[in-house]
């Protein structure tokens, strides 16, 4: 092994094992030995509790000017007082930095003071980047390593909590380094999960706490057509859009959506949520109308979203084929009231109805069947060796990577993988990679604890802000091992190779290649969805 790879292995092993040790202490029974072979209990579900936490903070930049951050986090409860989760943070109405985006992992503690009053405190770390121009990215984003700490008090109402925290927010080497009070709202939630080993098995609605209202997962490809653009980029933007919809009753719903650019303006990003209504036009055809608000953009001088605040009304027509699967066509109007950007949007996609339709009061639900769908959430520290880019060798990067696997059967799975650097790449913070692909895994051995896998994924990165830096699409073959600590949690290791394809398929002259090693943990579970 070369000296570079030995150093790489030391870096990732330390960080990955540190993550495993933290989770081992936080999750009861994580590292306990098992007296019986794993995965032999009958199909069962359990309730998982957590909460969604939304907060808003106004900051003053160290070099002058105002900035604000609006955050949305999901926090899963690990014991009576400790939570662990992840979330996204973006500006809304202060400054001129649309497209700034940060993602973090959060450790949150919370306990009762007296009556409905409670205390809470947390620490978070992740990556963030953005700016008003390519030069502005280096000024605003520093090294890209994002950190946040907060503490305060709140008051519990019937279905939500409200409170005030004092928060410290900083990015290494950035003018984002300030403390201030912020407001937060918490909404508790719970849902049923099963063992990963039970994926593919069916359960009846009366055998677990089946959803009373519908939930829908949507995936679309959308085209944003700019209207009289004022920024440096005047073309269309193609995005991949995902949305989770939760119905409050038979036809009114709330939703949260994320859009990521893949065409025209790769890595354009926005997140938005709001409310909508469904109109049932026939047995198989429905019209969904919704109004979303959120934050979005890229660098401000390319697409002028101002500070980032967006308003996004949208209509979607669905044809429901059966088994909860529907195809969709959509149209909307996306605009930034505090910037000049105005866009018509057009989309094609599909809906997957995760739960059965809402039943009338008193109607028997016992005949509704659900299938356990297997998932693995893999979180790892991923470090690269030297990066060969644009005819030069650059030092490797350290990245936080998240990969979600969906089991097709006992051997094959599909996976999505996203990684963000915690340090600058050639002076620019916010380097990221995103992939989608197919994986294969061996049978478990060593008393059911050890399993090997190999996967091939296809995706993009964001090495530059213009076509002169483009490397085209990427291929990411990788392989690794998982070692089960118990039926839910495993140690997770991965070795991968990143290869740019533009030099072979698109006539691009830039080349991007590196080898990476990742180490972290895998959380394995199954979710009951309609059969």
């Amino acid at each position: 092994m070369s000296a570079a790879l030995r150093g790489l292995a030391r870096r990732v092993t330390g960080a990955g094992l540190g993550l495993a040790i933290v989770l081992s202490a936080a999750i009861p029974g994580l590292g306990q030995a098992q007296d019986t072979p794993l995965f032999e209990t009958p199909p069962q579900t359990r309730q998982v509790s957590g909460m969604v936490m939304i907060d808003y903070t106004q900051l003053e930049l160290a070099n002058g000017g105002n900035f604000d951050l609006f955050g949305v986090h999901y926090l899963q409860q690990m014991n009576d007082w400790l939570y662990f989760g992840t979330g996204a943070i973006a500006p809304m109405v202060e400054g001129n930095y649309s497209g700034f985006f940060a993602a973090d992992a959060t450790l949150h503690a919370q306990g009762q003071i007296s009556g409905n009053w409670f205390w809470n405190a947390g620490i978070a770390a992740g990556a963030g980047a953005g700016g008003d121009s390519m030069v502005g990215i280096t000024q605003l984003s520093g090294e890209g390593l994002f950190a946040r700490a907060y503490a305060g008090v709140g008051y519990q109402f019937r279905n939500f909590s409200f409170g005030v925290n004092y928060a410290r927010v900083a990015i290494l080497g950035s003018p984002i380094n300030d403390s201030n009070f912020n407001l937060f709202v918490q909404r508790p939630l719970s849902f049923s999960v099963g063992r990963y080993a039970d994926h593919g098995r069916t359960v009846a609605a009366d055998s677990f706490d089946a959803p009373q209202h519908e939930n829908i997962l949507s995936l679309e490809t959308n085209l944003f057509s700019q209207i009289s653009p004022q920024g440096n980029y005047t073309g269309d933007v193609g995005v991949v859009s995902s949305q989770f919809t939760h119905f409050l009753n038979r036809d009114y719903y709330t939703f949260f959506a994320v859009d990521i650019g893949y065409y025209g303006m790769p890595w354009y990003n926005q997140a938005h949520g709001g409310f909508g209504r469904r109109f049932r036009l026939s047995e198989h055809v429905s019209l969904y109308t919704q109004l979303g608000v959120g934050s979005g953009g890229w660098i401000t001088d390319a697409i002028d979203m101002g500070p980032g605040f967006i308003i996004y009304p949208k209509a979607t027509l669905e044809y429901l084929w059966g088994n909860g699967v529907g195809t969709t066509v959509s149209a909307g109007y996306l605009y930034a009231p505090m910037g000049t950007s105005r866009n018509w949007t057009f989309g094609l996609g599909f809906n997957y109805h995760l739960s059965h339709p809402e039943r009338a009061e008193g109607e028997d639900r016992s005949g509704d069947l659900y299938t356990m769908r297997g998932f693995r959430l893999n979180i790892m520290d991923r470090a690269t060796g030297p990066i060969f880019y644009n005819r030069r060798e650059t030092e490797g990067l350290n990245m936080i990577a998240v990969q979600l696997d969906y089991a097709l059967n006992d051997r094959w799975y599909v996976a999505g993988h996203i990684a963000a650097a915690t340090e600058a790449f050639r002076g620019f913070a916010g380097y990221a990679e995103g992939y989608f692909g197919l994986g294969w895994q061996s049978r478990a051995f060593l008393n059911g604890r050890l399993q090997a896998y190999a996967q091939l994924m296809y995706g993009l990165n964001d090495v530059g802000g213009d076509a002169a830096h483009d490397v085209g699409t990427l291929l990411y073959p990788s392989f690794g091992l998982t070692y089960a600590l118990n039926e839910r949690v495993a140690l997770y290791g991965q070795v991968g190779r990143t290869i740019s394809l533009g030099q072979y398929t698109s006539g691009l002259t830039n080349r991007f290649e590196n080898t990476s090693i990742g180490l972290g943990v895998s959380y394995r579970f199954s979710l009951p969805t309609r059969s």
Side-chain angles (χ1 to χ4, degrees), residues 19-39:
L19 177 61
I21 291 169
V22 169
L23 290 181
S24 297
I27 302 176
L30 177 65
Q32 295 176 2
Q34 308 255 330
D35 295 329
T36 58
L38 296 176
F39 320 137

Side-chain angles (χ1 to χ4, degrees), residues 130-153:
D132 56 2
S133 64
M134 289 304 299
V135 174
I137 291 177
T138 63
Q139 297 172 345
L140 182 71
S141 306
E143 293 295 311
L145 179 60
F146 176 88
R148 184 170 65 107
Y150 59 89
V153 297

Side-chain angles (χ1 to χ4, degrees), residues 32 118-119 211 213 283 291 323 400 423 455 479 525:
Q32 295 176 2
F118 64 87
W119 61 268
H213 305 296
E283 181 182 357
L291 177 63
N323 292 328
I400 300 298
E423 52 194 320
Q455 55 196 24
F479 66 93
F525 59 97

Side-chain angles (χ1 to χ4, degrees), residues 308-321:
F309 180 59
I310 59 171
I311 300 177
Y312 189 9
K314 180 180 175 182
T316 301
L317 191 66
E318 175 196 45
Y319 184 86
L320 188 62
W321 294 95

Side-chain angles (χ1 to χ4, degrees), residues 2 6 17 28 34 76 78 83 111 224 246 248 298 310 312 330 355 367 370 438 440 468 489 492 502 512 521:
S2 69
R6 284 197 297 270
L17 287 179
Q34 308 255 330
Q76 183 165 314
M78 294 189 292
Y83 297 75
F224 297 169
H246 173 68
L248 305 173
W298 203 60
I310 59 171
Y312 189 9
S330 67
S355 50
Y370 286 78
L438 185 67
W440 174 90
V489 182
Y492 183 85
F512 187 93
V521 293

